């Protein structure tokens, strides 16, 4: 009897897998996939889920100080959405055979990465505007691309998230526009906030293509469809018009419009700052993880009570059935 | 303080949501929950914050039996050679414009 060697078998499967990705077919949880595709997805999706969860903290900081009931309700709904987005993506990641609890533990242990943007502090109310407009705006550009990712559960989570994030961006821009046409002090607050968030927002797309170690592989397998620099350029082009419309400026004296390509070209990005924050030395890295740990520990009794309640219900149901028999 | 890594994981439930009256229930995603009632509440908070559903089903993930990608071919191919199940298989005489 002849059997195919596991190696030959795997290389045939790999060829078939790559042909499916090339044909824009959707890869589903039970399909065969290269181990590297699986591990890259687990890494990327769990980082994405962590980012949604940690992303609740900078905005949660302003819920009690929102300037009106309307703004407070909006901010609460937005922060709740971010928690929901974390859950969509954790559940998508679990389809790859990893346990959510394990992923959460990695975050709490400080072993997992999440978007560096959330390691910056929220110092003024205008930051709620800047985050919704710029941070969610940048996330939408990235996630619209990921909604076409080759892994079905990831793509479907992104479709849902993109629909919801449009409200996040609109409400942020509305905050900025309102401040920008307010008193000189309010306008200055909006400008100061934009000055702080502009460059970190551009850094959200990751290093330049030539310095991005994961990009080639992610693009080869259809997880990413556009490069970091392409996405960043798209975000800049979209945003500059919005900045001008509310009569603010971006903190970039080198910004220029390139007639030939129709692109807004920015000055150099401070990658030293980017790597400093990625490596854990941003303004709030330690504070964010501390807050997550505290919240997780404070919720321990709720999780224990839920399990105890379910067990008691089961016991009661069993006893009722037994009595009826 | 409890050691979080020793905490018991809540069971996984698949969520199906009906978009509007008369529409079929479609898979929306999954939630972790301790029991069915809890799963339903979590499903509402996670998958129906914007009136996306008028009805929700939750099913223990372990209770679902699914076809596997490996037998996708043989399992479905009895349908391959039955073109006569489709209306396009049949010729309609010329002159009959609306059938």
């Amino acid at each position: 009897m002849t059997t195919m060697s596991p190696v030959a078998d795997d290389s045939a499967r790999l060829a078939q897998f790559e042909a499916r990705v090339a044909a824009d077919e959707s890869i589903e949880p039970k399909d065969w996939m290269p181990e590297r595709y699986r591990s890259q997805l687990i890494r990327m999706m769990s980082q994405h889920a962590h980012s949604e969860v940690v992303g609740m903290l900078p905005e949660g900081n302003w819920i009690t100080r929102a300037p009106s009931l309307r703004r407070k309700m909006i901010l609460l709904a937005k922060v709740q959405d971010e928690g929901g987005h974390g859950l969509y993506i954790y559940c998508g990641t679990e389809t790859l055979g990893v346990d959510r609890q394990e992923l959460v533990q990695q975050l709490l242990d400080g072993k997992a990465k999440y978007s560096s943007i959330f390691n910056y502090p929220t110092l003024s109310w205008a930051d709620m505007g800047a985050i919704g407009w710029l941070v969610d705006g940048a996330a939408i550009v990235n996630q619209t691309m990921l909604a076409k990712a080759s892994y079905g559960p990831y793509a479907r989570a992104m479709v849902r998230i993109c629909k919801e994030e449009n409200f996040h961006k609109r409400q942020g821009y509305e905050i900025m526009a309102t401040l920008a046409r307010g008193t000189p002090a309010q306008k200055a607050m909006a400008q100061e906030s934009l000055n702080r968030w502009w460059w970190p927002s551009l850094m959200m797309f990751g290093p330049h293509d030539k310095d991005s170690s994961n990009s080639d592989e992610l693009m080869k397998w259809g997880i990413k469809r556009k490069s970091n620099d392409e996405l960043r350029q798209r975000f800049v082009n979209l945003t500059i018009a919005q900045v001008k419309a509310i009569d603010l400026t971006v903190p970039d004296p080198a910004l220029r419009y390139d007639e030939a390509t129709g692109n807004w070209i920015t000055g150099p990005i401070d990658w030293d700052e980017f790597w400093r924050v990625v490596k854990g030395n941003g303004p709030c890295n330690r504070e964010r993880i501390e807050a997550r740990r505290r919240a997780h520990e404070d919720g321990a009794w709720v999780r224990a009570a839920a399990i105890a309640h379910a067990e008691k219900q089961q016991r009661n149901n069993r006893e009722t059935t037994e009595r009826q028999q | 303080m409890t050691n979080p890594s020793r905490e018991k994981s809540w069971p996984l439930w698949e969520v199906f949501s009906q978009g509007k009256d008369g529409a079929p229930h479609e898979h929306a995603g999954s939630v972790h929950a301790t029991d069915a009632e809890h799963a339903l509440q979590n499903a509402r908070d996670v998958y129906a914050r914007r009136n996306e559903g008028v009805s929700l089903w939750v099913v223990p993930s372990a209770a679902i039996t699914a076809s596997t990608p490996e037998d996708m071919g043989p399992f479905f191919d009895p349908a391959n050679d039955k073109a006569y199940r489709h209306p396009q298989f049949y010729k309609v005489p010329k002159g009959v414009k609306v059938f």
Side-chain angles (χ1 to χ4, degrees):
Chain A
M1 201 176 90
T2 53
T3 50
M4 221 187 238
S5 77
V7 177
D9 195 28
D10 262 9
S11 67
R13 284 166 146 181
L14 180 63
Q16 198 185 21
F17 171 85
E18 288 185 338
R20 290 190 61 200
V21 169
D24 281 339
E25 281 183 36
S26 181
I27 307 298
E28 294 297 331
K30 286 184 164 185
D31 294 345
W32 184 88
M33 61 186 82
E35 269 318 300
R36 181 77 185 158
Y37 178 82
R38 187 185 299 276
S39 63
Q40 281 284 44
L41 271 173
I42 292 174
R43 180 190 62 83
M44 188 172 161
M45 291 172 72
S46 60
Q47 284 179 10
H48 195 161
H50 297 328
S51 302
E52 301 285 352
V53 170
V54 177
M56 293 193 280
L57 298 170
E59 290 179 297
N61 180 34
W62 279 90
I63 290 175
T64 56
R65 290 172 287 165
S68 68
L69 184 57
R70 177 179 182 271
R71 294 285 185 210
K72 185 185 262 191
M73 290 192 302
I74 292 169
L75 191 56
L76 269 171
K78 179 182 188 295
V79 172
Q80 191 196 17
D81 272 355
E82 305 299 358
H85 296 176
L87 291 174
Y88 303 159
I89 310 173
Y90 281 130
C91 108
T93 318
E94 286 196 296
T95 64
L96 292 159
V98 59
D99 192 66
R100 183 177 77 185
Q101 204 144 296
E102 200 181 308
L103 301 174
V104 169
Q105 196 57 49
Q106 287 168 1
L107 175 67
L108 298 176
D109 290 344
K111 290 179 192 153
K113 281 188 189 157
Y114 54 87
S115 181
S116 279
I117 194 82
F118 302 118
N119 289 320
Y120 289 86
T122 44
L123 305 176
S124 73
W125 169 251
D127 289 0
M128 297 305 97
I131 288 180
W133 173 33
L134 301 175
V135 176
D136 288 76
I140 290 170
V141 169
N142 191 37
Q143 290 170 161
T144 304
M145 180 245 337
L146 291 173
K148 298 188 187 79
S150 58
Y151 190 55
Y154 197 20
R156 291 192 285 274
M158 288 303 113
V159 170
R160 194 174 271 275
I161 288 178
C162 284
K163 277 187 199 159
E164 301 188 357
E165 296 241 331
N166 278 325
F167 129 62
H168 298 177
K169 183 181 172 185
R170 290 281 187 108
Q171 65 86 34
Y173 191 54
E174 191 193 74
I175 290 174
M176 288 301 255
T178 307
L179 289 171
R181 63 167 187 268
T183 65
Q186 287 170 327
K187 184 169 182 182
M189 187 203 279
Q191 182 63 57
E192 188 273 337
S193 176
L194 174 54
N195 290 348
R196 275 184 292 113
W197 290 95
W198 175 250
W199 291 108
S201 299
L202 299 191
M203 292 175 199
M204 281 176 71
F205 296 95
H208 283 309
D209 297 346
K210 60 178 171 49
D211 304 318
S212 175
S213 52
N214 289 309
S215 275
D216 285 348
E217 199 169 44
L218 295 175
M219 286 181 72
K220 181 180 84 177
W221 281 333
I223 299 172
K224 287 186 69 165
R225 304 275 180 177
K226 289 195 172 106
S227 75
N228 294 354
D229 285 331
E230 281 177 279
L231 293 168
R232 185 167 18 241
Q233 187 63 62
R234 175 165 169 71
F235 173 72
V236 171
N237 290 351
L238 284 171
T239 309
I240 295 299
Q242 295 160 5
V243 174
K244 288 177 185 294
I246 55 175
D247 196 25
L248 295 178
T249 54
V250 294
D252 180 359
L255 183 81
R256 65 182 174 85
Y257 184 70
D258 182 55
E259 290 283 351
T261 57
N263 287 331
W264 285 95
I265 311 295
T266 67
I269 293 172
D270 180 358
W271 294 110
D272 289 342
E273 174 183 331
F274 173 78
W275 290 114
R276 204 161 49 238
V277 186
V278 169
K279 295 202 167 114
N281 300 312
C284 303
N285 295 55
R286 269 167 289 272
E287 188 185 325
R288 297 296 183 233
I289 291 300
E290 275 308 306
R292 265 320 303 151
R293 278 191 200 133
R294 213 165 41 243
H296 193 78
E297 284 169 13
D298 288 350
W301 72 270
V302 180
R303 296 190 296 277
I307 288 178
H309 176 73
E311 284 170 352
K312 190 175 157 192
Q313 293 294 109
Q314 266 177 2
R315 224 168 24 242
N316 289 348
N317 289 345
R318 235 187 350 258
E319 280 163 15
T320 314
T321 324
E322 277 162 14
R323 264 200 306 279
Q324 283 165 349
Q325 276 164 355
Chain B
M1 189 49 56
T2 28
N3 179 354
S5 61
R6 291 221 191 117
E7 263 182 42
K8 217 155 110 188
S9 212
W10 291 351
L12 193 63
W13 303 71
E14 298 302 319
V15 179
F16 297 82
S17 148
Q18 184 186 32
K20 56 176 195 249
D21 181 50
H25 283 72
E26 283 182 4
H27 186 238
S30 59
V31 291
H32 284 273
T34 50
D35 61 19
E37 189 189 347
H38 186 204
L40 212 45
Q41 282 172 356
N42 283 356
R44 178 205 55 197
D45 291 345
V46 179
Y47 295 103
R49 285 194 302 279
R50 289 173 173 76
N51 295 320
E52 291 97 332
V54 293
S55 161
L56 287 173
W57 293 345
V58 290
V59 181
S61 304
I64 292 182
T65 309
S67 62
T68 64
E70 288 76 37
D71 52 43
M72 199 158 89
F75 189 68
F76 292 107
D77 72 6
N80 281 349
D81 56 355
K82 296 182 179 62
Y84 47 83
R85 281 193 166 133
H86 299 278
Q88 296 83 352
F89 182 74
Y90 301 93
K91 286 194 181 104
V92 174
K94 278 194 177 119
V96 180
K97 289 227 173 75
V98 182
F99 191 70

